Amino acid sequence: MTVSAKVLNYDLKNVVTPNRLTGLWRMMSGFRWHYLGATLSLGVSATAKTLTYILLRFFVDNYFTPGPKPVPLPVVALGFIVLAAFEGGFSFLSGRLSAQTAEGITRRLRNYLFDHIQHLPFSYHRKTQTGELIQRCTSDVDAVRRFFADQAIGVGRIILLFVINFVAILRLNATLGWISIVVVPLVVATSAIFFRRVSKAYEAFQEQDAVLTTTLQENLTGVRVVKAFARQQYEIEKFERDNQEKFKRGKHLVRMHSLFWPASDILCGAQILVGYYVGAMMVIRDEITIGTFLAYMGLVVWIIWPMRNLGRLIVQTSTGLVSFGRVLEIIRQDREPLDEGDVIPDGNLRGELVFEHVGFQYEDGGKVLEDITFSCSPGQVVALLGSTGSGKTTLVNLLPRFYDCTEGRILLDGIDLRRYPRRYLRKQIGIVEQEPFLFSRTIAENITYGVGRDVPQEEIEAAAKAAAIHDSIITFPNGYHTLVGEKGVTLSGGQKQRVAIARTLLKNPRILILDDSTSSVDTETEAEIREALQRLMENRTTFIIAHRIQSIMDADLILVMDKGRIVQRGTHAELVEQEGIYRQIYEIQTRIEAELEKEIENAS
Ligand code: GTP
Ligand code: MG
């Protein structure tokens, strides 16, 4: 089915309403005509079925007894054939339409979810488990699909079959008509009771399903840790416990279903028996013909069937609604506005930064940064040094507005950072993350990831050379076209970092942030990178976070951080003169290095 771009781009934020049924109705936007078509086809099919029984009655009453025949027998036979063709053909058409429509709606939902999740802020991803998100985007979305494939169209089918066949029976015989629906209220009441119970059981089941998905996902991602600590047995037992719980909840859900079916079956069976008994008595008393009785026997099944299925439908809808609610929880989250901001600078930033009494606190935690004040001119190199957890990464994360500072302000080229659109900042600022992530694509694709255009091979290689990774890449079997990750080469930590540096360099950002980017390379390679970076750092403001004093000695400004505060500042020359952490670290590091050198000399 071809779906227009307009339908595909419908903003699903609209489906967030207090009433989930309204939300589901809005989900159908752009697809409602398809549903009408499916329902109309059903109507034709159901009418053909009903007419078949009426024709049966005509046939039995006229052709089993002697006397004149209203029409020749082959015409009656042809009638049966035509009705069967209509019934089957339109039923097929309806099924096809509704299945395609459900797929269309689900496709749009999946696309939207993916897009939406890409736009959710850092803080949301920090607090949400990946497994949980995966489960909602797969299992829950599938339950929503089933709702649109089966239940949404099922309502139409049930109402149509019920009304058409009820009217048909009433016209055969009014008494029979009213008798056939006495149990309707009972069936509806039973369904309503089960609706709530199944909802609850299903919700609990899906929750546990998410727990299991998270366990699985974490174990696959962290398989090395598990092996390194030889914790397989523990993990297996944990998985078994989670799985056992899922089994328990699944069993409860199945029990709810299995209680419901016999209950509604007994009611419907009783209904049919009473109907047949009354009908048979009426034939004996000559109140109706045998043909009428046979037609009734056929038709009444198609009244009972919708009643039974109304129950099934109500109960299944409850699962659809629960899953829809779980998906809504993602859609409800606010996106991070990328283009909001009242300054739209033309061209590039200069890169002058002023921090004025900046403080920061994570939503769910204590103060991480306090009273950070410093400034740097365009093109300067600022180095951050400090113990682990002192807030270095948090500080640099403020620059591309992954988070906004909660106190004070940051001025970029003289304008408050919060007035810049995030998209613009992120184009202008390049970060080499502390733990860089590479996609399972080729090395070339990874390096060009940030630029979003075709890049000539020379440029890619220049970036790779600057990051001191070119020589390693050409030793790989397919060079720059080697796949990274599971299906290709496994890069070492240092190689990964260097590919990430190349990726950021190619983006040519005005502000460059290197968060501990040379931590997993040896001193020699680090010197190589530093030299190459030296050229690249020209004319751009650079932030370097490092643990080795060697890497930051040339910085224009060194900030020493401790517990979220700047405790010392200055150039290397100034800082070694002062009493303080900096000198201590420097002395320790030079002593260790001197000792190492001596040992190497002795060994050789
Ligand atoms: P290293 O990278 O280990 O050298 O540390 P760092 O200086 O980069 O520390 P970072 O800025 O990552 O963290 C500073 C403090 O913030 C630590 O106490 C963390 O526990 C805390 N923190 C970091 N991220 C989050 C977060 O997403 N939520 C909350 N509540 N706290 C966080
Ligand atoms: Mg850090």
Side-chain angles (χ1 to χ4, degrees), residues 387-394 396-397 434-435 515-516 545 547:
S387 54
T388 169
S390 56
K392 304 178 296 294
T393 301
T394 308
V396 292
N397 275 344
Q434 196 163 8
E435 291 150 19
D515 190 349
D516 232 354
I545 300 178
H547 286 110

Side-chain angles (χ1 to χ4, degrees), residues 453-603:
R453 64 176 161 92
D454 279 336
V455 184
Q457 183 66 18
E458 303 88 74
E459 272 186 56
I460 302 180
E461 285 182 19
K465 279 178 188 155
I469 183 73
H470 175 76
D471 293 337
S472 315
I473 295 176
I474 50 177
T475 64
F476 296 146
N478 293 320
Y480 280 85
H481 299 292
T482 309
L483 276 175
V484 178
E486 285 134 43
K487 290 187 193 126
V489 294
T490 310
L491 298 181
S492 72
Q495 288 171 332
K496 255 194 209 165
Q497 275 191 334
R498 282 178 282 159
V499 171
I501 293 177
R503 170 170 73 187
T504 305
L505 291 180
L506 195 63
K507 198 176 141 187
N508 194 17
R510 297 310 305 155
I511 298 179
L512 179 64
I513 299 170
L514 303 166
D515 190 349
D516 232 354
S517 310
T518 48
S519 60
S520 35
V521 298
D522 55 278
T523 333
E524 217 168 291
T525 317
E526 197 204 336
E528 218 177 299
I529 296 177
R530 210 180 327 139
E531 204 178 297
L533 282 178
Q534 215 73 55
R535 267 177 287 128
L536 285 152
M537 288 191 301
E538 274 166 29
N539 298 324
R540 62 182 106 224
T541 311
T542 309
F543 280 77
I544 300 184
I545 300 178
H547 286 110
R548 266 184 229 145
I549 295 222
Q550 280 247 316
S551 351
I552 56 169
M553 268 182 352
D554 302 324
D556 299 292
L557 174 66
I558 299 173
L559 303 173
V560 183
M561 296 190 58
D562 187 37
K563 300 197 188 85
R565 289 172 175 275
I566 299 176
V567 289
Q568 273 186 300
R569 66 179 74 211
T571 60
H572 175 71
E574 290 163 7
L575 287 170
V576 282
E577 292 299 317
Q578 291 174 16
E579 284 283 326
I581 310 179
Y582 190 85
R583 198 160 77 185
Q584 285 168 13
I585 300 174
Y586 180 64
E587 278 168 4
I588 294 171
Q589 288 190 357
T590 32
R591 200 170 58 231
I592 292 175
E593 255 159 57
E595 274 169 22
L596 269 177
E597 256 168 49
K598 216 191 278 162
E599 256 175 54
I600 293 168
E601 253 170 46
N602 289 347

Side-chain angles (χ1 to χ4, degrees), residues 57 83 95 104 230 249 310 403 445 517:
R57 170 184 177 229
L83 285 174
R249 294 184 187 190
L310 181 70
Y403 299 97
E445 279 174 289
S517 310

Side-chain angles (χ1 to χ4, degrees), residues 73 91 161 184 207 257 378 455 473 475 530 557:
L73 194 57
S91 164
L161 280 173
V184 169
E207 267 166 24
H257 277 290
V455 184
I473 295 176
T475 64
R530 210 180 327 139
L557 174 66

Side-chain angles (χ1 to χ4, degrees), residues 181-196:
I181 59 160
V182 284
V183 298
V184 169
L186 284 175
V187 172
V188 173
T190 326
S191 309
I193 293 168
F194 276 94
F195 175 82
R196 302 198 46 182

